[in-house]
Amino acid sequence: MVRECISIHVGQAGCQIGASLWELYLLEHSIRPDGLVTPATKNKNRKAFENSYAYDFIFNELEHGQFVPRCVMVDTEPEICDNIRKGEMRHLFHGEQIVSGVDDASSCFSRGYHNVGKLVLEDFMDALRVQAEECDNLQSFLLCHSYGGGTGSGLTSLILDNISVHFSPKVLKMSLGVYPSPTVSSAIVEPYNGVLCAHATMDNIDVALLVDNESMYRLCRKEAHIQLPCYANINRLLSQIVSSLTCSMRYPALLAVDISEYQTNLIPYPRLHFPIASYAPMRPPELVHHESNSCSKITNQAFKIQNTFVNCKPCRGLYMACCLLYRGDLLPRDVNSTISKIKRSMLFAAWCPTGFKVGINSRLPCRIGDSEIATSTRSLTVLSNNTAIGTVG
């Protein structure tokens, strides 16, 4: 049965990540920025179009052949939303899918939750209901937001409160959240917003991936050799993570991982729902063709402390579960051999000694435009639930 996922992008960070993510989705599915597919592309990818689930999971195909994203973008101020409305993908989204207010939340959780957030909530919930009504079997919500911003923290908490009331608890709620960095901050109140948002959403979200800008800046500099990383580099990197999470629902896989299995396999108790994300390889285009990408090499890279997307040290904590999402021409026996080797150096909780979930998909990752991070023939995304997440912040 076809299942669908609705993406929700909240605040400046969420909408900018969303713009990069949908740009990547269009490249992976050979769809033009206006949502149409040329006849030549359809003939070339006839098998993919015959398997409608590849597109139905994140796109809604209209009668005249246009693909409309299953998503809603919302911000309390109009600037970022106006950039998307006027940008290259202006014909991709329905006008009501992008909701914006007239005043920002001033980096204040309370304004986002109690004040300006309520002014856009009704329009947002109407747009979300429209998207949900166009789904035959809604499986999940995927949120992108920041914990440190006023809109990203306050409005996200308000939205999740309303989703919990108006939608079935069986619909998975998964989020990618940019957590306040220890030393890099754009507002002095970011830690307070982060604490309030984490507390307010604790019981309303099933899986929450935490990343922070400081760790991603470090990765871009050391691994991808980008001297002056910008938000565009970070957003494109995060887009690859989200793409890997949904890859098995969009393409046939040798070992498939359903989006609901992230909660089943990674979350032992409802409140322990903060997996740590990492990705490999991250190399510049001029070096990627001169290095091998064996299964063992990219796996070792992904488990390095400096490759985590959040500022913590998993080696000092206990692993409760791991999910390894491989992309490329990999065989299960190579993956199993690599896991058996790397497992010896990992400390697992006594009550969860064999906590590995593996996904293998032959679909290669795509490179967005002039991205300074090259794509390779193989890649690995790791989600690990580790007690070291408690040291973040």
Side-chain angles (χ1 to χ4, degrees):
M1 181 183 289
V2 176
R3 288 163 293 186
E4 297 91 4
C5 171
I6 297 177
S7 298
I8 300 172
H9 307 284
V10 186
Q12 178 179 345
C15 290
Q16 288 179 334
I17 293 171
S20 294
L21 176 61
W22 287 104
E23 186 181 0
L24 178 61
Y25 281 156
L26 294 180
L27 288 171
E28 290 185 341
H29 291 279
S30 303
I31 299 174
R32 297 189 322 205
D34 58 0
L36 297 173
V37 180
T38 60
T41 304
K42 259 193 175 178
N43 291 330
K44 186 179 178 181
N45 301 323
R46 185 174 296 277
K47 269 190 178 180
F49 281 93
E50 288 173 356
N51 297 328
S52 61
Y53 71 88
Y55 295 85
D56 289 342
F57 184 73
I58 55 172
F59 287 102
N60 179 28
E61 185 178 5
L62 305 182
E63 292 81 1
H64 57 277
Q66 182 169 5
F67 290 90
V68 180
R70 299 187 189 274
C71 83
V72 183
M73 296 186 178
V74 60
D75 196 3
T76 54
E77 61 176 341
E79 183 181 354
I80 302 300
C81 292
D82 286 345
N83 290 340
I84 297 172
R85 291 188 184 108
K86 298 174 184 177
E88 188 180 359
M89 295 185 289
R90 59 186 177 276
H91 299 301
L92 179 66
F93 301 100
H94 189 286
E96 295 178 356
Q97 287 181 271
I98 304 176
V99 180
S100 60
V102 294
D103 193 11
D104 65 6
S106 303
S107 299
C108 177
F109 175 89
S110 183
R111 275 179 62 83
Y113 190 89
H114 294 290
N115 193 349
V116 293
K118 290 187 175 180
L119 300 178
V120 298
L121 180 65
E122 185 176 351
D123 290 340
F124 169 81
M125 291 303 297
D126 288 342
L128 189 62
R129 288 189 195 98
V130 169
Q131 292 299 314
E133 287 167 2
E134 292 176 350
C135 298
D136 295 325
N137 184 21
L138 178 60
Q139 186 185 25
S140 58
F141 292 112
L142 180 59
L143 290 89
C144 296
H145 68 104
S146 70
Y147 280 82
T151 304
S153 60
L155 182 55
T156 299
S157 303
L158 185 62
I159 286 171
L160 285 169
D161 287 345
N162 281 266
I163 287 176
S164 298
V165 172
H166 294 101
F167 291 91
S168 169
K170 293 182 180 179
V171 179
L172 177 74
K173 294 179 284 294
M174 189 172 183
S175 77
L176 174 70
V178 182
Y179 204 74
S181 307
T183 58
V184 178
S185 177
S186 60
I188 196 169
V189 293
E190 276 190 6
Y192 301 98
N193 293 336
V195 170
L196 290 168
C197 181
H199 176 74
T201 60
M202 184 67 73
D203 297 323
N204 291 334
I205 206 150
D206 300 311
V207 184
L209 301 181
L210 298 184
V211 299
D212 71 65
N213 287 333
E214 183 181 350
S215 298
M216 288 185 289
Y217 276 129
R218 185 191 68 240
L219 284 170
C220 288
R221 283 195 302 267
K222 291 188 176 180
E223 297 295 325
H225 297 179
I226 303 173
Q227 292 183 354
L228 296 172
C230 60
Y231 283 135
N233 302 125
I234 290 174
N235 293 338
R236 288 170 174 175
L237 187 55
L238 292 177
S239 298
Q240 295 290 353
I241 292 280
V242 179
S243 175
S244 296
L245 296 180
T246 61
C247 192
S248 291
M249 279 67 72
R250 296 182 287 123
Y251 299 104
L254 188 61
L255 287 176
V257 179
D258 192 84
I259 198 166
S260 61
E261 294 184 47
Y262 297 128
Q263 180 186 15
T264 306
N265 292 281
L266 283 174
I267 313 302
Y269 298 104
R271 295 173 75 88
L272 300 178
H273 60 240
F274 298 100
I276 300 168
S278 58
Y279 182 82
M282 288 177 285
R283 306 300 288 163
E286 61 269 17
L287 294 181
V288 70
H289 298 296
H290 299 276
E291 299 178 354
S292 66
N293 282 321
S294 64
C295 181
S296 59
K297 182 176 180 179
I298 62 174
T299 305
N300 288 326
Q301 285 178 351
F303 276 97
K304 284 182 179 178
I305 296 175
Q306 56 268 31
N307 272 35
T308 56
F309 278 34
V310 69
N311 189 22
C312 69
K313 296 181 178 179
C315 62
R316 296 185 180 180
L318 295 176
Y319 285 93
M320 291 172 278
C322 282
C323 183
L324 283 69
L325 304 172
Y326 290 93
R327 295 179 72 169
D329 56 337
L330 289 153
L331 297 174
R333 68 167 181 267
D334 296 331
V335 173
N336 292 334
S337 174
T338 300
I339 291 176
S340 63
K341 292 177 183 176
I342 200 167
K343 189 179 176 181
R344 299 167 191 164
S345 60
M346 300 169 65
L347 293 175
F348 272 85
W351 43 269
C352 189
T354 56
F356 278 97
K357 177 69 178 177
V358 178
I360 303 176
N361 198 298
S362 59
R363 182 74 181 189
L364 300 179
C366 290
R367 182 184 176 190
I368 304 175
D370 57 348
S371 174
E372 296 180 64
I373 301 175
T375 55
S376 62
T377 54
R378 294 170 177 174
S379 70
L380 170 62
T381 300
V382 175
L383 305 181
S384 56
N385 202 343
N386 190 295
T387 57
I389 195 70
T391 64
V392 172

